[in-house]
Amino acid sequence: MILAILFVAILAALLFALVKGITEKGFPPLVSTRPIWINGTSIKVTRAELLWNFIPVIIAAYVTRLWIMIDMFFRVIQPFVSLSRPTVPDKSILLNYPTMLPGHIIFQACTNGHWKLAWIASVSLLTRGLPVLVGGVFTSQDKHNTGEFRIYPQKTAFIFIIALFIIYSLTFIVIWLPGTSRKMPRNLYTIADTISILHQSQLLDDPEFAHLSNKEDLVAKLRLSRHLYAYGITAGRDGMSPNQLAVDQADRVDWLSLQESKSEQGCMAALRKRLRCANWDTHDTVLP
């Protein structure tokens, strides 16, 4: 919510500046406009140019990093969104979104019908050019030969930046559109996190995962098996853990719909309700 408000505020400020004719009138540079020479080179710049090229690039770099993080979160969580109901392996356990190139994931997400992910991946790809764009958007000029230098934004680039922030603002609406909740009872950012939800799954003992030589062999076996897979509460493979939160064949899972909860606490409450165990907590065997 804070990020959405911040982006809308920046968009409003940019639109206000454009309406006020900032691209024609310019604005005071706030620092000295006397030219300086870069040591050891023949490049002559002003302190104002350094300031108004440096600050926008820093802001753009943080914005780019933010959208890459949002993009990666949706990549990681999408298989579990699919597994919140019985699903074929091609759209669940075989998804490899986190390792895909930015352009490839857009095509693959559209093919699989994951439209929200496709939109966010597109925005993330578009954002990667933002630091390059804003690096030269401001120039210091004395247009009227009065000796007073002012900072002028390049109009085309300035309008393109406004268009980007309109897309960012719309993307927050897309993120909040009604649909399956993407709240999980634990983080999924490391290999250890993934292992923790699979190490007690009976899935590991299935013949489809035995004697594999390559990924193509695994994919072929899973498709021929015609099994559906889900994420929820299942019996542990050691026989001593009857209530494990894991990915498994759908007919062995009391599958947990992420739609039941809108927060991590809600997801825990849904698990407690499924287990019918009033004393269950996050330190039980369900969550390693």
Side-chain angles (χ1 to χ4, degrees):
M1 182 66 70
I2 293 174
L3 287 173
I5 293 173
L6 178 61
F7 273 73
V8 171
I10 293 175
L11 174 61
L14 293 174
L15 288 172
F16 179 79
L18 183 65
V19 171
K20 288 294 185 180
I22 191 174
T23 55
E24 290 79 21
K25 299 177 182 178
F27 58 90
L30 304 180
V31 294
S32 173
T33 57
R34 294 181 58 187
I36 58 174
W37 293 91
I38 304 298
N39 291 335
T41 69
S42 59
I43 300 175
K44 182 174 69 171
V45 297
T46 67
R47 290 180 175 87
E49 288 177 325
L50 288 176
L51 174 65
W52 290 104
N53 288 333
F54 178 74
I55 290 180
V57 169
I58 292 296
I59 295 173
Y62 276 103
V63 170
T64 302
R65 177 60 180 165
L66 168 67
W67 284 107
I68 290 175
M69 290 172 61
I70 294 174
D71 177 31
M72 186 54 65
F73 168 79
F74 276 83
R75 292 185 187 212
V76 169
I77 214 71
Q78 184 59 54
F80 294 91
V81 174
S82 300
L83 287 164
S84 65
R85 61 186 67 85
T87 312
V88 296
D90 283 297
K91 293 187 178 181
S92 55
I93 61 175
L94 288 178
L95 293 178
N96 60 334
Y97 287 147
T99 61
M100 287 185 178
L101 295 174
H104 184 204
I105 187 177
I106 299 171
F107 171 78
Q108 194 63 44
C110 290
T111 302
N112 292 330
H114 300 148
W115 306 111
K116 185 177 289 190
L117 175 62
W119 174 275
I120 293 171
S122 301
V123 174
S124 177
L125 179 61
L126 190 63
T127 303
R128 294 169 192 264
L130 183 61
V132 178
L133 177 66
V134 303
V137 69
F138 295 107
T139 57
S140 175
Q141 301 179 43
D142 180 13
K143 284 189 175 183
H144 305 290
N145 297 319
T146 61
E148 180 185 359
F149 284 82
R150 296 176 68 85
I151 302 298
Y152 293 89
Q154 206 280 331
K155 188 171 184 178
T156 303
F158 195 72
I159 292 175
F160 189 74
I161 291 171
I162 290 175
L164 276 178
F165 273 87
I166 291 174
I167 293 174
Y168 295 152
S169 301
L170 292 175
T171 302
F172 280 107
I173 298 176
V174 171
I175 289 174
W176 290 329
L177 283 176
T180 303
S181 172
R182 283 169 166 77
K183 296 292 186 180
M184 296 288 288
R186 67 169 301 132
N187 289 329
L188 294 168
Y189 298 127
T190 67
I191 294 176
D193 293 330
T194 304
I195 291 174
S196 71
I197 60 172
L198 288 172
H199 79 289
Q200 278 291 339
S201 174
Q202 298 180 60
L203 193 75
L204 302 178
D205 298 323
D206 287 347
E208 291 83 7
F209 293 88
H211 309 295
L212 296 172
S213 57
N214 51 54
K215 182 180 178 180
E216 288 71 21
D217 189 17
L218 170 63
V219 172
K221 285 185 175 182
L222 289 174
R223 287 174 177 170
L224 289 172
S225 70
R226 298 183 179 276
H227 290 311
L228 299 179
Y229 296 89
Y231 172 66
I233 299 166
T234 182
R237 61 195 294 232
D238 59 5
M240 297 182 293
S241 306
N243 296 316
Q244 283 289 323
L245 188 59
V247 176
D248 208 335
Q249 290 185 30
D251 56 2
R252 298 196 297 242
V253 173
D254 181 11
W255 47 282
L256 174 68
S257 174
L258 299 185
Q259 186 65 22
E260 295 180 18
S261 60
K262 296 300 180 183
S263 65
E264 290 89 341
Q265 293 79 10
C267 190
M268 292 297 183
L271 286 172
R272 291 191 184 95
K273 181 179 179 181
R274 288 294 184 90
L275 289 170
R276 294 181 174 84
C277 177
N279 296 323
W280 183 87
D281 58 30
T282 57
H283 302 292
D284 206 340
T285 56
V286 175
L287 292 179

